[in-house]
Amino acid sequence: MRTSTRWAALAAVLAVVASTFTATTAAAQVPQPYCGTVALWGVEQSGRLSLYLHLGAEKGDHKWERRRFVGTGWNGTVLAGNGDVLYFVPEGTGELRRYRWDGEEWETFDGAEYEVIGHGFDRYVGEGRTLAVVGESFIGIDDTGDLRIYKRMNDEWTNAAGEVIGTGWDVFDRVVPSNGEDYYAFDSDGNAYLYRYNSYLKQWEIQAKHIDTGWGDFTNVVSAGSGVLYATTTDGLLLWYHYHYGWAYDGIPRHVGEGWNGVTAVVSANICSPHPG
């Protein structure tokens, strides 16, 4: 779908009301994932951290609980793991920290609000690089273009040096890993590609499958798993997409939020399931 078509359609949707949007025939062919309540974390440029609970993640409805401020000083790279676990690489360091939110406050580790579980992860921070987590698997793409996976089990690294599963990934502006070992890759022209890896066979099952155009204007794209993607626009809109061998609502985004100017959205890529394989 071309950018002009997508944004013209979105404008028409917003001119009515997002909640009154009627699904097309194509939407009915895309199976609905199970997401429950999706925790979206918002990191402001000042380092202030907020928690947003999206109640309409399965269909792309504009339904939320009230935003809650949960911390300051989050200047750096923030990742969301399983449950209420966050990982953080502070600016100017390669230290990988683990935090856990219990719903009211941050749990403590020997008196501190976090525990350090790794070092040297700054190699994956910066323009053209990727640092992400799916469950307890950390995905990094450095300036060489190598795609490397680090895995943890029972609070221990199972492959401290990481495993290279791909090369040449520096050609993409943005890479968004998801559950089901899917990777959504976006180039400088706004093209979206799907990759899928099989860690058991140690081979790629899907490579460079072109699935859309017009993704070059977003300030941020994150996956909640099972083909559910959130994207933020330059004017602060939060949009919802769902992909499964085709796009829900014929690729027309669902407007699910606003006020995301200067806010980086962070979400666990393991929330929605089952993954439409």
Side-chain angles (χ1 to χ4, degrees):
M1 178 178 294
R2 298 187 180 277
T3 305
S4 58
T5 304
R6 168 181 287 135
W7 289 108
L10 177 59
V13 171
L14 297 183
V16 187
V17 177
S19 61
T20 64
F21 185 87
T22 301
T24 63
T25 301
Q29 298 173 352
V30 178
Q32 179 179 311
Y34 174 75
C35 299
T37 300
V38 169
L40 270 168
W41 306 84
V43 187
E44 300 177 25
Q45 294 176 349
S46 65
R48 187 164 65 166
L49 179 68
S50 298
L51 174 60
Y52 305 75
L53 297 179
H54 188 202
L55 308 179
E58 294 171 359
K59 296 181 180 180
D61 294 331
H62 195 303
K63 296 171 60 178
W64 297 85
E65 287 191 9
R66 187 173 181 177
R67 176 179 64 175
R68 181 173 183 179
F69 296 109
V70 295
T72 58
W74 291 80
N75 304 89
T77 300
V78 182
L79 313 173
N82 288 335
D84 291 320
V85 172
L86 290 185
Y87 300 95
F88 180 46
V89 179
E91 284 183 348
T93 79
E95 194 174 75
L96 179 62
R97 300 176 180 178
R98 178 182 180 272
Y99 294 75
R100 186 177 184 87
W101 177 253
D102 69 4
E104 295 297 331
E105 60 185 2
W106 297 103
E107 293 185 2
T108 58
F109 303 87
D110 295 326
E113 286 190 341
Y114 62 87
E115 60 176 342
V116 177
I117 63 171
H119 298 273
F121 283 86
D122 50 334
R123 65 185 287 192
Y124 301 116
V125 174
E127 185 176 353
R129 308 182 192 189
T130 296
L131 179 61
V133 62
V134 180
E136 290 191 293
S137 295
F138 292 80
I139 295 96
I141 302 174
D142 60 20
D143 56 4
T144 69
D146 288 348
L147 172 60
R148 192 181 300 265
I149 293 183
Y150 302 82
K151 295 184 178 181
R152 285 176 62 82
M153 183 178 295
N154 299 323
D155 295 330
E156 298 289 341
W157 294 102
T158 62
N159 59 343
E163 175 187 3
V164 176
I165 64 170
T167 58
W169 286 75
D170 51 338
V171 299
F172 297 113
D173 282 1
R174 177 182 287 122
V175 178
V176 181
S178 185
N179 59 1
E181 299 189 271
D182 276 5
Y183 295 79
Y184 298 91
F186 306 91
D187 66 18
S188 58
D189 293 324
N191 293 298
Y193 299 90
L194 174 66
Y195 290 76
R196 180 172 297 154
Y197 188 70
N198 187 317
S199 57
Y200 179 76
L201 297 177
K202 295 188 180 299
Q203 65 184 30
W204 292 95
E205 295 181 344
I206 298 176
Q207 293 197 68
K209 179 181 179 180
H210 187 262
I211 59 174
D212 207 4
T213 60
W215 286 76
D217 298 327
F218 296 125
T219 58
N220 191 26
V221 179
V222 293
S223 170
S226 197
V228 173
L229 299 170
Y230 292 91
T232 51
T233 68
T234 54
D235 55 355
L237 295 181
L238 180 67
L239 307 179
W240 175 100
Y241 295 85
H242 180 215
Y243 181 81
H244 171 57
Y245 299 108
W247 294 95
Y249 303 107
D250 204 26
I252 299 173
R254 298 280 283 177
H255 168 223
V256 296
E258 51 282 317
W260 288 79
N261 315 63
V263 180
T264 300
V266 179
V267 65
S268 169
N270 219 19
I271 294 181
C272 296
S273 65
H275 190 275

